Amino acid sequence: MIYLDNAASWPILPSVMGALNRSLEDDYANLSAAHRMGKDLSERVEMMRKGFINLANAPEGYQFYFTSSATESNNWVIWQMEVGPADEVFYSRADHPSITVPLEKSGTRLQNIPRSVDGRINLNQLLDKLSCDTKAVFLTWVNGQSGHLEDVAFIAQEIKRRHSEIYVHVDGVQGFGKHAISLQGASIDSFSLSSHKIGGPKGIAGVYFRTVPRKALLHGGGQENNMRAGTPPFPLIVGMYEAAQWMEKHREKLRLQMQQLNQSVRSLLSAQREIAFPFLAEHCSPFIAMLTVAGVPSDVLLRHLEMEQVFCSSTAACSSKIKGLNPTFTDLGIPEDLHKNVLRLSFGWQNALEDVKAMCLLLGGVLHTISHLTHKR
């Protein structure tokens, strides 16, 4: 089995599985309990919270809250901003649905972030469009479909330099752990991350806020500094923290491994005349490679590859039900006649060079078979 859909979810890391199992067995007390067991767990959570602050090189004043998912984190950011019809908000239709959907339902005046022909954010055009009516800008660090890697810290800094009052949120889900981030400049007002994108367990995520959120997400028992009530899932927090620490320790080695896989895929598949890579590798995270296959629908390719126990995707998991015109592809500049011909290969810690070579060979075979059958007709 070859799994190349890691942008949707990574296999859990062995060290995380060990830490998670130990915690599930031993750490069963409630963190809010007044006895020693509860207090010990509460102190350990605060230690891990500080650990996440340090991992993002966040200066004094930043808050970090544990949530159940990045979708919850992104929705919370939008909810506590209280945007309305008089506000102007910049976002991208290529953002994750947990940003686009709540913003599009908020009633605010939405403006699309301009892009250059290479698919990257056009910062100069964006800065020129900002005004005193602009309340917020939503940025995605690594696009989950194309892999575009943006210098969000610099973009946020330039936005704040011109309009210090504009709120800047960064969806950091596909980048956290895989690339270094620093919140030191304090230009990023909030930043979301997710555990299962870095080999941690599902059901746990987090969000940084530069200052205390304007509105609590959940009321009740006063957990998470009265911002998100509910008993914290201690073992899941342990698992996410172990994954984040592992990524920090192995980041450079992992980056080189992903570069090798990404370059191999591009080199091997570019020989197929039907296949094109719309975006340059130097503009993208090495963890994701997006390609188009002219004349062959991606769902046909996915079914053939799945029969060979090769698993990849055509779009981000949360957008997989979109039919026809895809707003993400439109925003990225992919021609409409190729929207049903996109494949996304995304790599993780468990992938080896032999995996991608085998996948490329199988994909080439599938294309040859389809071409042969088409010509026979």
Side-chain angles (χ1 to χ4, degrees):
M1 190 268 284
I2 300 174
Y3 180 76
L4 295 172
D5 193 24
N6 293 274
S9 189
W10 272 30
I12 200 162
L13 288 159
S15 63
V16 171
M17 183 66 79
L20 185 61
N21 285 338
R22 289 190 296 273
S23 186
L24 284 168
E25 185 173 350
D26 299 334
D27 302 325
Y28 46 82
N30 192 311
L31 277 69
S32 300
H35 51 65
R36 185 69 260 168
M37 288 178 68
K39 290 179 179 178
D40 285 345
L41 295 187
S42 180
E43 289 170 3
R44 287 170 61 190
V45 163
E46 293 312 306
M47 179 274 294
M48 290 185 280
R49 194 188 311 277
K50 290 178 182 177
F52 277 104
I53 293 288
N54 293 333
L55 285 170
N57 195 24
E60 186 176 355
Y62 269 88
Q63 321 281 311
F64 183 80
Y65 301 97
F66 295 104
T67 63
S68 67
S69 66
T71 291
E72 179 184 309
S73 298
N74 288 336
N75 272 259
W76 184 9
V77 168
I78 296 167
W79 157 259
Q80 62 89 38
M81 283 178 55
E82 298 181 301
V83 293
D87 300 314
E88 179 181 68
V89 173
F90 281 81
Y91 81 132
S92 169
R93 287 188 293 272
D95 288 337
H96 190 271
S98 62
I99 290 176
T100 61
V101 173
L103 279 178
E104 288 164 1
K105 290 183 176 182
S106 68
T108 191
R109 290 190 294 120
L110 294 175
Q111 302 287 344
N112 205 49
I113 293 175
R115 292 183 182 273
S116 302
V117 292
D118 58 14
R120 291 184 294 176
I121 291 174
N122 189 317
L123 179 56
N124 290 331
Q125 287 187 18
L126 172 61
L127 294 174
D128 288 343
K129 288 177 176 290
L130 300 178
S131 70
C132 58
D133 292 329
T134 306
K135 183 162 186 176
V137 176
F138 284 76
L139 302 170
T140 295
W141 188 12
V142 174
N143 185 277
Q145 179 65 52
S146 66
H148 277 103
L149 174 62
E150 302 286 355
D151 189 348
V152 288
F154 178 73
I155 295 173
Q157 175 186 308
E158 291 301 296
I159 291 170
K160 293 286 191 181
R161 190 168 63 83
R162 295 202 185 188
H163 300 275
S164 60
E165 74 283 0
I166 291 178
Y167 189 101
V168 179
H169 173 66
V170 171
D171 182 330
V173 170
Q174 294 290 352
F176 182 80
K178 302 165 188 174
H179 303 278
I181 186 66
S182 176
L183 301 179
Q184 195 60 228
S187 297
I188 296 172
D189 293 288
S190 51
F191 179 99
S192 55
L193 61 91
S194 182
S195 167
H196 73 100
K197 307 293 189 181
I198 56 171
K202 296 178 179 66
I204 186 69
V207 58
Y208 297 85
F209 282 100
R210 186 171 61 85
T211 57
V212 176
R214 299 173 188 172
K215 294 174 68 175
L217 180 64
L218 296 171
H219 297 280
Q223 291 88 351
E224 293 298 290
N225 198 27
N226 290 310
M227 286 289 114
R228 185 186 183 277
T231 303
F234 186 83
L236 298 184
I237 294 173
V238 168
M240 181 169 74
Y241 186 65
E242 172 62 30
Q245 293 289 333
W246 189 93
M247 293 294 289
E248 176 77 7
K249 181 179 179 180
H250 296 90
R251 181 184 297 125
E252 183 58 22
K253 179 181 177 182
L254 198 61
R255 183 184 66 82
L256 294 173
Q257 177 187 345
M258 297 303 109
Q259 282 184 336
Q260 182 187 38
L261 300 182
N262 199 307
Q263 290 168 0
S264 296
V265 162
R266 289 172 179 267
S267 175
L268 292 168
L269 292 182
S270 292
Q272 301 285 338
R273 61 182 178 83
E274 303 95 338
I275 293 177
F277 291 87
F279 308 116
L280 296 175
E282 54 261 39
H283 296 161
C284 300
S285 168
F287 289 81
I288 297 175
M290 175 181 169
L291 57 100
T292 59
V293 187
V296 185
S298 55
D299 58 347
V300 173
L301 294 173
L302 291 174
R303 285 199 299 271
H304 278 82
L305 289 172
E306 188 173 326
M307 286 189 290
E308 299 294 338
Q309 292 294 295
V310 177
F311 300 93
C312 52
S313 62
S314 58
T315 186
C318 291
S319 301
S320 61
K321 291 181 173 62
I322 293 176
K323 305 298 181 184
L325 186 68
N326 188 304
T328 295
F329 298 156
T330 299
D331 189 75
L332 292 170
I334 302 297
E336 184 178 345
D337 60 349
L338 288 174
H339 283 199
K340 295 182 180 180
N341 302 82
V342 172
L343 285 183
R344 182 190 68 177
L345 308 175
S346 49
F347 315 107
W349 65 268
Q350 82 289 357
N351 292 134
L353 188 57
E354 291 72 21
D355 293 333
V356 299
K357 286 181 177 179
M359 184 280 303
C360 291
L361 187 63
L362 286 167
L363 181 56
V366 169
L367 291 176
H368 177 76
T369 300
I370 292 173
S371 175
H372 179 68
L373 292 173
T374 302
H375 283 115
K376 284 184 70 175
R377 289 177 184 172

